[in-house]
Amino acid sequence: GQQLNQSPQSMFIQEGEDVSMNCTSSSIFNTWLWYKQDPGEGPVLLIALYKAGELTSNGRLTAQFGITRKDSFLNISASIPSDVGIYFCAGLNGNKLVFGAGTILRVKS
Amino acid sequence: DTAVSQTPKYLVTQMGNDKSIKCEQNLGHDTMYWYKQDSKKFLKIMFSYNNKELIINETVPNRFSPKSPDKAHLNLHINSLELGDSAVYFCASSQVPMNTEAFFGQGTRLTVV
């Protein structure tokens, strides 16, 4: 089946640092989504990308849909303590949403 | 107002029991889903319903049976619970079958002892 490789698995960074994570796949996706999951909660959508090459920002978050449609990255600038959580990429092809394994982000203040 | 709400939030039960998890969405969406998140936090789709019709049925034991009485509700019934069923189960909904983002509930943490 389709799989997404998300990296890094976890990050422990200093408050104020920038963060970068990415997802790659051997399959083409028509849509890329980035979600954040806080402890005890469900995933919440951060950014949706619908076109190859698209670069979209949401506050301190920036995500890009790779030109080959097989990858996407998410950057977080000037991290703050409330950025901690698990970040998931998800690729959509047809009617199925496939999730990456998640990146656990921890922030030292 | 909670957009996607599922109950209960926690469920502890013995092996062999039958249990149900309920989900309701007030977003007016046509499509609802059940996802399973394992101990490694991996999210995998189980089922999807569009307007009360099953459209995605992944390789899931037939002890798991979804039921959609109307398009705002999608319940998950599990028969003969096993230890390996312990996980967090998430309900989600989207406007139409997956051409827009999915909104997730808070999850139901199922522990089978």
Side-chain angles (χ1 to χ4, degrees):
Chain A
Q2 294 172 319
Q3 285 190 323
L4 295 185
N5 299 309
Q6 185 171 348
S7 65
Q9 280 188 327
S10 64
M11 305 179 75
F12 192 13
I13 62 166
Q14 189 71 40
E15 182 179 358
E17 285 184 0
D18 296 343
V19 172
S20 186
M21 59 191 79
N22 69 82
C23 266
T24 61
S25 173
S26 56
S27 304
I28 288 174
F29 289 98
N30 298 321
T31 300
W32 283 91
L33 306 172
W34 285 91
Y35 285 85
K36 183 191 177 198
Q37 185 178 15
D38 290 327
E41 302 291 331
V44 174
L45 183 70
L46 298 174
I47 291 181
L49 302 158
Y50 300 105
K51 284 171 51 176
E54 179 181 352
L55 183 72
T56 297
S57 292
N58 178 6
R60 294 178 296 107
L61 276 58
T62 302
Q64 183 156 32
F65 190 149
I67 198 75
T68 64
R69 295 199 286 156
K70 293 182 179 180
D71 63 305
S72 176
F73 72 73
L74 174 71
N75 287 343
I76 306 172
S77 62
S79 58
I80 59 178
S82 61
D83 289 335
V84 299
I86 305 176
Y87 291 80
F88 291 98
C89 64
L92 179 61
N93 194 359
N95 62 3
K96 195 176 292 187
L97 194 61
V98 178
F99 280 84
T103 294
I104 299 171
L105 179 64
R106 296 185 182 90
V107 179
K108 294 186 280 187
S109 53
Chain B
D1 276 351
T2 305
V4 181
S5 60
Q6 50 185 112
T7 56
K9 190 167 170 65
Y10 300 96
L11 182 56
V12 181
T13 188
Q14 288 189 324
M15 272 196 308
N17 283 351
D18 303 339
K19 289 293 178 186
S20 291
I21 308 172
K22 296 186 175 181
C23 181
E24 176 182 6
Q25 54 96 3
N26 62 7
L27 297 167
H29 287 169
D30 289 336
T31 308
M32 296 184 72
Y33 313 84
W34 278 108
Y35 282 83
K36 180 180 179 181
Q37 187 173 46
D38 61 23
S39 57
K40 294 182 180 176
K41 306 299 182 186
F42 187 67
L43 272 162
K44 192 171 190 307
I45 192 165
M46 300 171 67
F47 301 102
S48 173
Y49 270 73
N50 183 53
N51 274 322
K52 302 193 297 174
E53 285 193 29
L54 183 66
I55 57 171
I56 293 176
N57 185 354
E58 290 295 289
T59 307
V60 176
N62 57 15
R63 298 180 294 104
F64 290 78
S65 53
K67 285 188 173 50
S68 182
D70 55 63
K71 73 174 191 177
H73 295 84
L74 180 63
N75 304 323
L76 183 65
H77 189 75
I78 316 171
N79 289 328
S80 303
L81 278 154
E82 301 177 358
L83 292 177
D85 297 333
S86 296
V88 182
Y89 293 84
F90 286 101
C91 177
S93 73
S94 66
Q95 182 66 36
V96 292
M98 278 305 183
N99 75 344
T100 59
E101 54 269 27
F103 292 82
F104 284 79
Q106 286 192 308
T108 296
R109 180 174 293 278
L110 171 66
T111 304
V112 183
V113 297

